Amino acid sequence: MEAPMKFAQIIDFETERIEEMRALVQEADKRASSRSGGPTHRLVLQDRNQPGRYLVVLEFDSYDEAMRNNSDPETSRMAERMAALCSRPPSFTDCDVREMTELK
């Protein structure tokens, strides 16, 4: 049986309130540590050419795991709170992870 393919979601958003966003994420991380599932990695990127624009890459063990996380009421509440800190609605891109290579 083939192992499930890893899955990544990219969240593209703009905010002038990044420190409040970070505090919200840290609070959510504490709550999430007591439950199974959810993202396995998070990468936060800041656009050098557009101040206030950020990309967050969340990695999950599988698409199914990501969908379970998305349907969790706690995830919905956090997404609403995060959107309130954004200067435009965030956009989401769903990706199957085809290849990942550690270069160093």
Side-chain angles (χ1 to χ4, degrees), residues 37-77:
T40 57
H41 295 91
R42 177 178 49 239
L43 177 66
V44 179
L45 307 169
Q46 182 175 9
D47 189 329
R48 296 192 105 189
N49 297 311
Q50 290 182 286
R53 180 177 179 229
Y54 299 86
L55 299 160
V56 175
V57 181
L58 297 173
E59 182 185 320
F60 295 85
D61 283 334
S62 69
Y63 172 79
D64 291 338
E65 197 63 39
M67 293 306 101
R68 273 192 291 281
N69 183 71
N70 285 354
S71 66
D72 183 297
E74 191 61 41
T75 300
S76 297
R77 281 190 289 278

Side-chain angles (χ1 to χ4, degrees), residues 1-17:
M1 180 176 208
E2 192 173 309
M5 182 178 298
K6 290 205 180 266
F7 177 81
Q9 185 172 66
I10 302 168
I11 307 168
D12 180 340
F13 65 94
E14 292 178 11
T15 186
E16 300 303 320
R17 301 165 68 182

